[in-house]
Amino acid sequence: MPIKTTKKVTNKKVVKEETKPAVEAKKEEVKPAEVKKAPAKKATTKKAAKPAVEAKKEEVKPAETKKAPAKKATTKKAAKPAVEAKKEEVKPAETKKAPAKKATKSAAKVKKEEVKPAETKKATAKKTTKKATTKTTTTKKVTIKKMTKEEQYAKLSLDTCLDLAKAMSMNVTRDSIIQQLILNPDVKSVSKDLVNKYQLTGKFNFEEDGYDEDLVEVLVSKVYETADIKPQKAEDLQADVDHALNYKFTDVVADGEEYKAQFDTMRKVLMIAQHKDIHDSKNLDEEIGIDVEKFVEEFMDLAYSVLKTWKYEDVDYYEHFIYAVLSQLEDLHDTYRNRIMMDVADLYILHGDYGLGDADYGYILRENQIKDYIYYRYASIYEGVDKDKAKQIANQALQFVDDRFTYYPNIIAVLEG
């Protein structure tokens, strides 16, 4: 019976080499039934804890060794039983430590496997959150795109509209637009004039540039809404007109302030006429209770005096404004058109724009049969600028004027001066 003898020798050697760790070996001798049950419960987790038990199993029950190939860990140990036995004789401590390391690694792997699914879930949750955020952002962008051009323009401030106008190379300000609205309080008409002036039609594309020529009307509308350019009640003007008709010229500063006040009053008178579609000064008199013609004449006298020392731009604006008044009140246009044209021509000459001044006088002379007063005004304005040219104009007048005309003596005085 050699097989039994080998078992005993092996058991004795193991006891001597293991000394203290043989506690588990004794348990195996006392209760072999428990040794058999242990691998069935936790074969994977207790491989490191009881390496000696597994060694005995392999020797006692080879039938179980056959079942082990299904598990990789068991197969490795069954493949080298003799080597393990030798290792136990030479270095038992190392033999014990090796499986412990493997067990630790396997336990770590188990932990990783348990942790990774949780981490994956968290990562998935994060990704889902990002996707949800992206979808929300996309929804907002779609909402903005759905807004019409008109709605986007309506949300712009006046300052933003002015900045965009500059981006379109428009040289306009709030005050300059107000001045145009004073002359013509029709928003659409003023907008069209600006578009034509700066040649904006088709020049910009809203989708590509963020603005186009339609922005001009939005700008003009916003200026109109924020400026005091709406017609007032008639009774509010009567006191201002009475003051203007009783004003006496004093000095440059006081006259300048009075000109500003009268300009504002005349603007309100013009707006009432435009608003009520009145084209005759007499009908306007009845509407607001003032003498409109006298007020217009007083205003022109003051403007002619004040603007001689003001800027060229002030003359240009006055010209457009007074023509707007006379164009609205047709009866006054027929009466004062030559006078206002000569006033403006004189002011241009005094400000050094001889070309425009001469052109205006040339037009008046061609359009009128009686020329003595026109020539006298034309020559006399140059007396303070260029005496030789003044004499030259007076000499030309003698081709059309003789002693039968009222202003013949005045023309001769310029020639002899």
Side-chain angles (χ1 to χ4, degrees):
M1 302 289 287
I3 297 171
K4 290 180 181 180
T5 305
T6 306
K7 286 182 181 177
K8 288 179 181 179
V9 172
T10 307
N11 289 337
K12 287 178 181 180
K13 286 181 180 179
V14 171
V15 171
K16 286 179 182 180
E17 291 171 356
E18 292 180 352
T19 61
K20 289 182 182 180
V23 176
E24 292 179 0
K26 287 180 181 180
K27 286 182 183 178
E28 289 172 358
E29 290 176 1
V30 178
K31 295 180 181 179
E34 291 178 5
V35 175
K36 291 178 182 179
K37 289 179 182 179
K41 289 180 181 179
K42 293 183 181 179
T44 307
T45 55
K46 292 187 178 180
K47 285 176 185 178
K50 297 180 180 180
V53 176
E54 289 180 0
K56 285 182 180 181
K57 283 181 186 178
E58 290 171 359
E59 293 175 359
V60 177
K61 291 184 179 181
E64 291 179 5
T65 309
K66 292 178 181 179
K67 292 180 181 179
K71 296 179 181 179
K72 293 179 180 179
T74 310
T75 304
K76 289 178 182 178
K77 289 180 180 179
K80 298 179 180 179
V83 176
E84 287 179 359
K86 288 180 181 180
K87 286 182 180 178
E88 286 173 359
E89 292 175 3
V90 180
K91 293 181 180 179
E94 291 179 0
T95 307
K96 290 178 182 178
K97 288 179 182 178
K101 288 180 181 178
K102 290 180 181 178
T104 307
K105 287 181 181 178
S106 61
K109 287 180 182 178
V110 173
K111 287 182 181 180
K112 285 181 181 178
E113 288 175 358
E114 291 176 358
V115 173
K116 282 181 179 177
E119 291 177 353
T120 306
K121 287 180 181 179
K122 288 181 181 179
T124 308
K126 289 180 180 178
K127 287 180 181 178
T128 307
T129 308
K130 288 180 181 178
K131 287 181 180 177
T133 308
T134 306
K135 287 180 181 178
T136 305
T137 308
T138 306
T139 305
K140 287 181 179 178
K141 286 182 179 178
V142 171
T143 304
I144 294 171
K145 287 181 179 178
K146 285 182 179 179
M147 290 177 63
T148 63
K149 178 175 70 174
E150 289 73 17
E151 289 172 339
Q152 292 186 53
Y153 277 160
K155 290 186 176 182
L156 297 176
S157 66
L158 176 57
D159 290 337
T160 302
C161 288
L162 287 169
D163 290 338
L164 292 176
K166 289 180 181 178
M168 292 192 288
S169 301
M170 294 179 66
N171 185 22
V172 293
T173 62
R174 181 175 180 271
D175 291 338
S176 69
I177 294 173
I178 289 174
Q179 290 176 350
Q180 288 181 271
L181 287 168
I182 289 172
L183 303 179
N184 180 13
D186 184 7
V187 171
K188 289 187 178 293
S189 178
V190 171
S191 302
K192 186 177 179 181
D193 290 343
L194 287 171
V195 169
N196 293 335
K197 179 179 179 181
Y198 292 101
Q199 300 178 354
L200 300 178
T201 304
K203 190 174 182 180
F204 299 97
N205 183 279
F206 178 78
E207 298 298 331
E208 296 177 1
D209 303 308
Y211 46 79
D212 57 14
E213 67 268 18
D214 293 338
L215 176 69
V216 177
E217 186 172 338
V218 177
L219 170 61
V220 175
S221 297
K222 289 182 182 294
V223 172
Y224 184 83
E225 290 168 2
T226 57
D228 181 23
I229 51 178
K230 298 171 181 63
Q232 292 186 347
K233 295 179 181 179
E235 54 268 25
D236 296 334
L237 296 176
Q238 291 172 357
D240 294 335
V241 172
D242 288 340
H243 172 78
L245 293 176
N246 294 312
Y247 180 76
K248 304 296 182 183
F249 292 4
T250 52
D251 56 57
V252 175
V253 177
D255 292 351
E257 293 301 318
E258 180 63 19
Y259 170 72
K260 291 177 182 177
Q262 289 192 21
F263 189 101
D264 187 57
T265 304
M266 183 61 73
R267 173 177 61 82
K268 295 172 183 177
V269 171
L270 172 60
M271 286 193 167
I272 291 174
Q274 291 172 332
H275 184 68
K276 296 184 176 293
D277 197 28
I278 297 174
H279 296 276
D280 186 274
S281 63
K282 301 302 179 185
N283 294 337
L284 188 58
D285 289 350
E286 295 175 1
E287 183 68 31
I288 59 180
I290 64 171
D291 190 333
V292 176
E293 183 174 356
K294 281 187 177 181
F295 179 45
V296 169
E297 189 171 2
E298 165 65 23
F299 176 65
M300 289 192 296
D301 289 343
L302 180 61
Y304 186 74
S305 174
V306 169
L307 294 177
K308 288 178 180 178
T309 58
W310 280 27
K311 295 180 180 179
Y312 179 91
E313 291 77 10
D314 297 316
V315 176
D316 180 68
Y317 184 63
Y318 168 71
E319 178 186 15
H320 288 87
F321 177 68
I322 196 61
Y323 274 122
V325 173
L326 297 180
S327 296
Q328 181 68 31
L329 303 173
E330 296 171 357
D331 60 319
L332 297 185
H333 181 271
D334 294 338
T335 304
Y336 295 102
R337 63 179 178 180
N338 283 341
R339 184 254 169 104
I340 196 62
M341 192 175 290
M342 287 186 287
D343 282 357
V344 171
D346 287 351
L347 292 171
Y348 279 133
I349 290 169
L350 291 174
H351 283 82
D353 192 345
Y354 309 126
L356 188 54
D358 292 346
D360 284 346
Y361 267 113
Y363 174 80
I364 300 169
L365 289 168
R366 288 192 301 272
E367 295 296 317
N368 288 271
Q369 295 296 323
I370 301 174
K371 307 177 188 294
D372 60 326
Y373 179 69
I374 301 170
Y375 267 116
Y376 165 66
R377 285 279 304 262
Y378 188 19
S380 63
I381 196 65
Y382 267 106
E383 281 190 298
V385 178
D386 186 344
K387 283 189 174 292
D388 291 336
K389 188 167 184 176
K391 290 181 179 182
Q392 182 182 355
I393 293 168
N395 189 50
Q396 289 176 358
L398 296 179
Q399 299 177 29
F400 307 96
V401 179
D402 54 33
D403 56 3
R404 294 173 299 173
F405 291 89
T406 305
Y407 289 91
Y408 175 76
N410 303 85
I411 294 171
I412 296 299
V414 172
L415 278 171
E416 294 175 353

